[in-house]
Amino acid sequence: VSAAPDMPRLARLLLRLRPLGRRRPEVEADLRDVFTARLVAHGVRYARRRFYGDVLSLWWHPLPSTEASRRSRFDRARVIDRMRHDVRDVVRGLRRNAVVSLAAILSLGFGIGAASTAFSVIDVFYFRPLPFPSPDRLVWIAEQTPHNFDGCPRCPFLTSPSTLADWAKQARSLERIAAIQGTTFRWAHGDVVESLQASGVTPQFFALLGVRPALGRGFTPDDFLTGAAAVILLSDDVWRTRLGADARVLGTRLTTEGHDVTIVGILPRDFRFRDASEVWLPLSMAGGSRSSRSLTAFGRLRQGFTLQSAAAEFTGLQAGLAATYPAAYRDWGIGVQPLRALLTSGRGKNRLTVMALTALVLLVGILNVSGLMLNRAMARRHEFALRSALGGSRWQIVRQLLVEGMAIGLAGGVVGMLLAFALLPLASVWFSIGTTALAVEPNYRLLMFGAAVALAAGASTSVGPAILTWRGELTRALGEGSSRTTGGAIGTRDALAAVQIAIALVLATTAGLLSHDFLQVRFLDLGYDPRGLYSTTLQGTAEQANNLALWHAAASAARDRVAAVVGIASASVEHRSAIHPSVVRPADASFEPSSSDTPVVKAVDPSYFQTFGTGLLAGRTFTATDDRRHFPVAMVNRAAAARFWPARDPVGRQVFVGDSPTDDESLTIVGMVEDAERGEEVERHWPVVYRPFAQAPMYLPTAFLFVRVSDVQDAGALAAVQTAIRGTGRATGPLQSEESNVDERFLPSQVNAAAFDLFAVFGLFLATIGIYASVAYGVSRREREVGIRMALGATRRSVIGSLAGRQMRWGLGGITAGLAGALALRRVLDALLLAPGGTDPWLLALSACLSAAVAFVAICLPAWRATRVDAAMTLRAE
Amino acid sequence: MKGSRLGEFEEFTLLAVRALKDATYAVPVQAFVERTAGRAVTMGAVYAALDRLEAKGFVRSVLGDPTPQRGGKRKRLYEITPAGMRTLRELRRVRDRIWMTIEEGGRS
């Protein structure tokens, strides 16, 4: 099509595929005229929508004049015409069997929806180019930790500003190099100070990614000079939600930490990098030791360089640096990876397991519809036989079956796409990628995938009946009695049902385990009571940052002020140490340090455990006298005690805490508390060492202030606390409810568990329908036999046995296979679980029994019903 | 097919060709029908209707000269035939008679 800008690509492709013969040039020019006219009159959205309509209408309406000059052997137009008739026939056929058709469509739709959502996620993780220009030339450059590095030997790590500067000077393989560092921006407005998530970036950052602000300007080199006026870029979200999307904010100032920064630009709406950064600041690169690594570095490859050649160059650069500054680089390596690796690292946990399970759901759907189609084909044996006897070719019948399958597939595809649109935001949460450049959105790749899967799934459901037709099994029936069923078809159908049982069992087991796990971590004891617990952050002044006593007094004063409010049961502070000590070990020499569970050290005040409602298991809690003038003490949680002194009383023992083996501090354990860590789910049972707030060193002058209200319903107390914390002048934000924090923290696993439950229920439901339909059909063919046998005095049990025996054997096979599958999956599942202890064998057994019971009922019910029919009635009906 | 009879949409199309005078083409016809009938009309439907009208001998078409506005692409120009004109008049007479009956009935 002669190009008019904005004409939708897909529609243009469809137009090109529509046979138009010699009329093509005029029709295309006409459509272009219409498009342009609508574009001018009604705007681009309208024009594009109507263009789709026009192109589709050309496919729908026959245009005889376009075929007049075509005399080719393969006449596409005629094929299209025939297909149109086929489709109309099929639509009528599906309407006649509305319930079965609807069941089939929904079965496929659910499977397609799940699979398409999974595809979108896989697509962004592995295939879809990152949303930046020439994304294949973007690389992530990371120093690699030494082999003895705490927690993660030989892992990608941050780099220091000085190293980055050397790289920028020396690296020839990179066109540009930039770095980013996460930080917070404390925005003071009105009488509150609000913490915004911020990113500090180097001068090349936006140019490297090819991102320009949607409004205003980006950072210029001058913005990075020492003494330059402070500037800031806002994310589109902050600009819209906090500043009313007002373009006049450009050039105005935001106040932070006593000075002003000027808003110079608003970033584009769809710009995302690695996290939900709300504001962007120039990153000061001055000074700093080469060992203080705090930057995430990445670059753009110069044309002609590959990842490998860049990696080789950087290995050389690093060796040079190590020779010049041995202390800072001893044992450190370097790695160059695609930028995608940076964005995906630590995200999308277990995505492959999830994909496998969605594939299973799709498979159950396809198998189910195959079974339904097989039943329908068998029911229509007479029609097929008649048509074949009247000279209809086998190909015609097979074609009709295929078109039917694909029609069901396409309808299922529409349902699936709607479902996928609804599921995508959940998937974003699930894989925690919603705030990154990887964010999943509906796009044409998803549509293409959905359409392809829909057609393939639809066609594959008609493969069974089509093969039987081709072999003549369905067309030979004319001369045979109606009660005789074809062996091949029955066998195929029973095997389908067995496979469905197996898959349903695997799904049910998985869902059972995940739900149980979720309930366990969510609703069982957290070790503390989040209801009525609120928190905010206290921020020290610059003066307090250098004086522990001052900071301690200021934080305590703020706490006491809040604690005095009527309706407040308790308040306490927890020192928020950005860097926790790297050496934590018991004085006993027997202890083997392991990097996988280095204890966390926290500084808390005496009322901390009371505020949290965490139970004391042994010894005492801190008191006001545990300060600088008295000997240093500590408390441990149950996990730390179990880690350091298994099965022994921790009270009275010594623990070393320090930053290096030389300046260790020896603390005496005075008490043990229940595990109650409130970090990520896994951290509830993380080993923690608590120190008195008054004795602990300070890394940063910030602390959490926790408040427990006496009465959860008491809104007045909360309002009073808000006023009180505002009065301290040190609080940095409004009170946050710990309960909603907990809910938020558990949202991904809740989504996880709910999705699996849905999968399982649906899989089980489909399998049940499939099995039931299969047996019921078989039974209905043998009603006469049942009647005779019952009349001759056969017991109901023996009749059921003979009617359902084969399916029962198949079902048992399915259950065995499913159990084997579930056991094999167990190892994978263990990694998915959050609660400690791994999969519960009893739960496995329970899920298996449940699936077996459902299958058993589905098999026996139709047989049992057949035996309830009055034998005399059946015989008389003959 | 409908033989020499006209469907509603064909009638609209034929009227549009007449109303737009001589040598009109598919694009103005579509716009005219959409505007006067007050409903969305696809180009495919217009082409199909014009095709059928031409097969029935109610319109005839010729390829126009290339114009620079369309990048040298020709337009297919339609005009109504005497047979088409007769059919339209006939349809109108039938309708007028019916309406006359209705209105007389209303007065009595």
Side-chain angles (χ1 to χ4, degrees):
Chain A
V1 184
S2 52
D6 300 324
M7 264 156 85
R9 264 179 25 207
L10 185 63
R12 258 154 59 192
L13 181 73
L14 283 174
L15 178 57
R16 210 169 306 146
L17 291 175
R18 167 70 162 102
L20 288 170
R22 62 190 157 79
R23 292 191 60 181
R24 174 169 301 284
E26 31 150 328
V27 169
E28 286 184 356
D30 282 358
L31 287 190
R32 206 195 131 155
D33 283 359
V34 173
F35 179 81
T36 318
R38 286 177 183 147
L39 187 70
V40 173
H42 303 283
V44 67
R45 283 177 69 95
Y46 178 83
R48 289 169 68 101
R49 186 163 56 77
R50 292 296 308 267
F51 187 70
Y52 267 106
D54 283 341
V55 172
L56 293 177
S57 75
L58 276 170
W59 277 89
W60 184 252
H61 291 284
L63 293 183
S65 68
T66 62
E67 289 147 34
S69 64
R70 297 174 59 84
R71 287 286 175 266
S72 65
R73 206 165 65 79
F74 180 71
D75 192 339
R76 272 192 300 182
R78 193 164 304 158
V79 171
I80 288 162
D81 204 46
R82 202 182 302 149
M83 269 181 65
R84 202 163 39 229
H85 281 285
D86 279 351
V87 169
R88 278 176 189 160
D89 284 352
V90 165
V91 169
R92 279 184 204 129
L94 292 181
R95 259 201 218 141
R96 260 203 306 274
N97 258 321
V99 176
V100 175
S101 310
L102 199 68
I105 288 167
L106 288 180
S107 299
L108 280 188
F110 196 90
I112 293 170
S116 303
T117 312
F119 164 81
S120 268
V121 173
I122 287 287
D123 190 34
V124 295
F125 267 100
Y126 296 102
F127 304 113
R128 198 173 84 196
L130 296 176
F132 308 114
S134 311
D136 47 330
R137 282 166 51 208
L138 296 174
V139 293
W140 169 33
I141 310 141
E143 294 196 60
Q144 255 168 8
T145 55
H147 56 81
N148 58 351
F149 189 77
D150 197 22
C152 182
R154 293 270 167 247
C155 287
F157 201 75
L158 308 171
T159 193
S160 67
S162 315
T163 311
L164 186 77
D166 285 344
W167 289 347
K169 254 182 272 156
Q170 296 170 23
R172 285 187 55 253
S173 54
L174 296 187
E175 195 175 282
R176 292 173 193 275
I177 189 163
I180 183 169
Q181 182 181 6
T183 166
T184 34
F185 180 82
R186 280 178 244 290
W187 176 24
H189 56 104
D191 52 0
V192 292
V193 178
E194 193 177 349
S195 286
L196 298 181
Q197 194 169 348
S199 293
V201 297
T202 60
Q204 303 269 6
F205 179 84
F206 290 109
L208 192 159
L209 292 178
V211 173
R212 288 221 196 97
L215 271 180
R217 65 171 176 91
F219 295 139
T220 62
D222 290 346
D223 293 332
F224 292 84
L225 298 177
T226 337
V231 292
I232 191 168
L233 288 171
L234 305 183
S235 72
D236 181 85
D237 186 51
V238 163
W239 180 57
R240 276 176 206 286
T241 58
R242 319 305 301 279
L243 298 168
D246 185 352
R248 286 170 302 182
V249 300
L250 285 182
T252 61
R253 281 141 198 267
L254 299 180
T255 305
T256 177
E257 327 246 334
H259 66 276
D260 286 350
V261 293
T262 308
I263 302 172
V264 292
I266 314 294
L267 288 166
R269 187 167 211 166
D270 54 359
F271 171 67
R272 294 185 202 86
F273 189 59
R274 195 172 52 153
D275 51 29
S277 203
E278 298 170 289
V279 297
W280 301 76
L281 305 159
L283 183 62
S284 138
M285 298 281 291
S289 133
R290 285 178 180 270
S291 315
S292 69
R293 298 172 163 92
S294 59
L295 302 178
T296 303
F298 56 100
R300 181 177 282 281
L301 290 176
R302 206 181 284 282
Q303 209 87 47
F305 282 86
T306 62
L307 202 62
Q308 287 74 23
S309 57
E313 185 188 24
F314 271 87
T315 309
L317 288 182
Q318 197 73 350
L321 287 173
T324 323
Y325 314 96
Y329 296 100
R330 175 171 303 133
D331 292 335
W332 283 81
I334 195 153
V336 180
Q337 297 181 61
L339 184 63
R340 184 185 289 278
L342 168 67
L343 300 182
T344 54
S345 77
R347 297 180 198 275
K349 197 172 145 217
N350 303 307
R351 49 186 181 260
L352 292 176
T353 315
V354 175
M355 303 309 129
L357 290 167
T358 55
L360 284 185
V361 172
L362 179 60
L363 193 58
V364 173
I366 291 177
L367 290 176
N368 199 317
V369 178
S370 299
L372 290 174
M373 297 286 281
L374 212 50
N375 275 345
R376 273 183 61 176
M378 287 195 287
R380 284 157 68 187
R381 268 187 353 273
H382 273 286
E383 178 197 331
F384 291 159
L386 197 64
R387 278 171 62 172
S388 140
L390 292 175
S393 73
R394 281 183 300 187
W395 167 236
Q396 274 174 350
I397 296 171
V398 168
R399 198 182 70 209
Q400 193 191 340
L401 287 168
L402 281 175
V403 173
E404 248 178 45
M406 287 200 275
I408 289 179
L410 276 181
V414 172
V415 174
M417 280 301 105
L418 293 177
L419 190 66
F421 287 175
L423 285 178
L424 278 181
L426 290 183
S428 272
V429 174
W430 192 346
F431 294 102
S432 55
I433 52 176
T435 56
T436 71
L438 300 169
V440 288
E441 278 146 6
N443 59 5
Y444 77 98
R445 293 160 77 105
L446 172 71
L447 281 177
M448 290 291 174
F449 175 84
V453 169
L455 283 178
S460 66
T461 60
S462 46
V463 164
I467 288 176
L468 294 175
T469 311
W470 199 250
R471 292 210 313 238
E473 293 204 25
L474 294 179
T475 47
R476 210 186 294 134
L478 200 56
E480 300 171 0
S482 63
S483 61
R484 292 271 306 275
T485 37
T486 41
I490 296 282
T492 315
R493 212 187 39 200
D494 288 344
L496 284 178
V499 176
Q500 282 188 59
I501 294 179
I503 296 177
L505 196 147
V506 171
L507 285 173
T509 315
T510 314
L513 287 171
L514 284 174
S515 307
H516 174 253
D517 177 58
F518 170 71
L519 292 176
Q520 201 174 356
V521 294
R522 175 65 183 87
F523 292 110
L524 297 192
D525 192 9
L526 289 168
Y528 71 98
D529 183 8
R531 286 177 41 130
L533 191 61
Y534 294 84
S535 68
T536 183
T537 310
L538 295 179
Q539 175 74 38
T541 60
E543 188 190 3
Q544 290 160 357
N546 299 315
N547 188 325
L548 181 62
L550 272 183
W551 165 233
H552 180 235
S556 303
R559 175 201 58 205
D560 294 344
R561 188 164 176 167
V562 169
V565 171
V566 177
I568 295 304
S570 170
S572 58
V573 287
E574 173 194 312
H575 195 160
R576 187 173 163 189
S577 56
I579 313 152
H580 72 79
S582 50
V583 180
V584 181
R585 61 183 170 81
D588 318 44
S590 63
F591 176 74
E592 273 294 318
S594 139
S595 53
S596 62
D597 58 353
T598 308
V600 169
V601 178
K602 299 195 144 189
V604 301
D605 67 3
S607 55
Y608 183 76
F609 299 106
Q610 185 202 339
T611 307
F612 268 78
T614 303
L616 183 69
L617 299 172
R620 64 168 176 91
T621 57
F622 299 134
T623 63
T625 57
D626 291 322
D627 57 20
R628 285 266 156 195
R629 291 188 298 277
H630 293 78
F631 69 97
V633 294
M635 291 175 67
V636 289
N637 67 352
R638 189 200 286 272
R643 174 91 184 88
F644 292 157
W645 308 279
R648 277 177 293 165
D649 184 5
V651 175
R653 294 178 191 275
Q654 302 275 310
V655 64
F656 284 126
V657 171
D659 283 327
S660 74
T662 50
D663 61 5
D664 278 2
E665 220 176 341
S666 176
L667 314 175
T668 307
I669 307 291
V670 294
M672 174 168 75
V673 287
E674 189 53 83
D675 292 347
E677 182 46 26
R678 48 165 216 293
E680 292 285 306
E681 303 92 281
V682 285
E683 288 181 9
R684 185 187 161 197
H685 299 283
W686 199 263
V688 183
V689 174
Y690 298 96
R691 308 188 60 176
F693 191 72
Q695 288 181 347
M698 168 173 52
Y699 297 96
L700 290 170
T702 57
F704 289 117
L705 173 67
F706 288 97
V707 180
R708 177 171 295 285
V709 296
S710 315
D711 180 2
V712 181
Q713 311 290 334
D714 188 355
L718 269 188
V721 169
Q722 291 277 20
T723 317
I725 61 166
R726 227 174 278 151
T728 65
R730 298 262 56 88
T732 56
L735 285 180
Q736 291 188 342
S737 152
E738 185 65 17
E739 205 177 351
S740 61
N741 282 353
V742 168
D743 286 343
E744 203 171 295
R745 195 185 317 145
F746 285 108
L747 183 63
S749 44
Q750 189 172 3
V751 171
N752 209 328
F756 275 106
D757 284 353
L758 211 63
F759 283 6
V761 167
F762 189 74
L764 210 54
F765 176 69
L766 282 187
T768 314
I769 291 185
I771 299 158
Y772 183 92
S774 163
V775 179
Y777 182 78
V779 168
S780 72
R781 300 267 130 195
R782 292 167 66 183
E783 264 171 9
R784 183 164 166 239
E785 178 197 332
V786 171
I788 293 172
R789 287 176 62 171
M790 293 296 283
L792 291 177
T795 63
R796 182 167 289 166
R797 224 179 116 184
S798 72
V799 173
I800 293 179
S802 83
L803 279 177
R806 197 187 41 236
Q807 278 91 353
M808 211 84 96
R809 279 192 295 279
W810 275 105
L812 263 174
I815 286 168
T816 317
L819 262 183
L823 280 172
L825 254 177
R826 225 183 115 180
R827 201 173 291 272
V828 186
L829 285 178
D830 277 345
L832 267 175
L833 299 185
L834 306 167
T839 49
D840 185 346
W842 283 111
L843 240 147
L844 205 64
L846 191 73
S847 314
C849 286
L850 180 74
S851 315
V854 169
F856 183 78
V857 170
I859 290 174
C860 288
L861 196 64
W864 178 77
R865 276 183 51 188
T867 62
R868 300 269 297 169
V869 174
D870 186 355
M873 291 271 286
T874 320
L875 292 179
R876 219 174 291 136
E878 280 293 310
Chain B
M1 276 297 131
K2 290 161 179 144
S4 63
R5 304 223 162 262
L6 283 184
E8 182 203 46
F9 188 73
E10 285 171 339
E11 187 187 343
F12 285 174
T13 311
L14 188 55
L15 281 166
V17 172
R18 172 69 185 84
L20 293 165
K21 295 285 163 49
D22 305 326
T24 184
Y25 72 112
V27 175
V29 169
Q30 185 272 342
F32 184 88
V33 177
E34 185 161 302
R35 200 171 59 239
T36 48
R39 66 179 192 216
V41 172
T42 60
M43 288 298 287
V46 172
Y47 286 128
L50 287 171
D51 255 27
R52 286 197 299 269
L53 289 172
E54 191 166 12
K56 291 170 188 172
F58 294 158
V59 297
R60 58 173 165 251
S61 73
V62 286
L63 272 180
D65 294 326
T67 54
Q69 288 88 349
R70 281 164 57 103
K73 300 282 163 50
R74 292 152 175 267
K75 293 172 183 169
R76 179 166 295 274
L77 303 173
Y78 290 88
E79 62 179 0
I80 193 161
T81 60
M85 216 45 235
R86 263 202 308 281
T87 309
L88 280 182
R89 291 219 178 84
E90 181 55 32
L91 275 172
R92 182 171 177 174
R93 264 199 293 278
V94 172
R95 293 210 172 126
D96 284 349
R97 276 202 294 274
I98 295 172
W99 275 110
M100 223 135 60
T101 323
I102 292 171
E103 276 153 18
E104 280 165 4
R107 273 199 298 271
S108 61

